[in-house]
Amino acid sequence: VISGTPTVAGDYSVTVTVRDSFVPAGMASRVLPLKVYGPPQVVTDSLPEGKVGVSYSGATVLAGGGKAPYSWSAAGLPGGLSMSAGGVISGTPTASGDYSVTVTVVDSLVPAGTANRVLALKVYPALEVVTASLAEGEVGLAYSATVLAGGGKAPYTRSAIGLPAGLSMSAGGVISGTPTASGDYSVTVTVVDSLVPAGTANRVLALKVYPALEVVTGSLPEGKVGVLYSGATVVATGGKAPYSWSAAGLPVGLSMSAGGVISGTPTAFGDYSVTVTVVDSLVPARTVSRALVLRLRVQGDVNGDGLADMGDVIRIERMILGLEGPDSAADVNGDGHIDMGDVIWVELKIVGS
């Protein structure tokens, strides 16, 4: 009977000898091979990372020592994964998290040897483009927007197709530049994570670029001192409506509403340089200004000297006779015609009637 606990693995040649009880004794020997295996052990010390919803393959757990073939099992795997008897972990994980997986190998000795090892397995959430919408832009206005991603394994690399001319996306997900053409764009953004193999996610985002904001009104109608000034609406195009208006340099008695209407009753004649400013509804908003001339006359002052006198009467008469081109300021009585009624109106003004 050979017994005990071997301490060194190897291939041994054991010479066994038997002696019988004759006198003299008989003897016989024979060389017998004896193979001693090392204890089985799990050689693999780490598992590749996985991602929810993505096929997990190629994770083969290896063993050493003991007697092949081996039989494998695992406890603590995430939902969707399983281990074959050959040591392959495969499937599609359904839940993210950090898992402690206990793998067990059993060899073919009789009685069999067994070894266990706890291996970490990290499963990332599914990769996705988190950003659901892009900020609006405007032609000629600096633009910046960051596209965010979630899940997968950071760091991410991002790219985009379908951006308007003048804009580009950095690998870090920042869309920037100055758009040169207005329109409604469908931008496909792609994010790639750092897993091996890498995961990819796409999302189509709408990007609206407005035409450049501008004040299109080029001139303001003349007004008369002491007469209600109304109907002067300053108009803008481009940008994002609604607009908000303001004005600087208006004569005393006049003001501008937020809707762009200049109104009131002016109190002093002259030529005024009025700077109108429009602000649109973009975030951040765009602001554009334009200088406009506003001429205010004294009622009956046709020649622009600030007085209603005989000089104005003479000028109206010249227009009636065709010696001078018509001037809307000569229609002092407001009946739509330049005639003797206007001459009489100024003469009455002169004498104080």
Side-chain angles (χ1 to χ4, degrees), residues 328-351:
S328 61
D331 180 21
V332 294
N333 61 9
D335 65 358
H337 304 283
I338 300 174
D339 52 22
M340 287 305 295
D342 301 300
V343 172
I344 295 171
W345 192 98
V346 176
E347 290 176 341
L348 291 173
K349 181 81 172 178
I350 293 171
V351 298

Side-chain angles (χ1 to χ4, degrees), residues 140-190:
L141 185 65
Y143 182 89
S144 181
T146 301
V147 177
L148 302 177
K153 182 180 181 180
Y156 310 114
T157 300
R158 303 170 182 86
S159 60
I161 58 174
L163 286 169
L167 298 186
S168 60
M169 173 182 266
S170 70
V174 179
I175 299 175
S176 61
T178 302
T180 59
S182 62
D184 295 305
Y185 297 86
S186 293
V187 181
T188 301
V189 294
T190 299

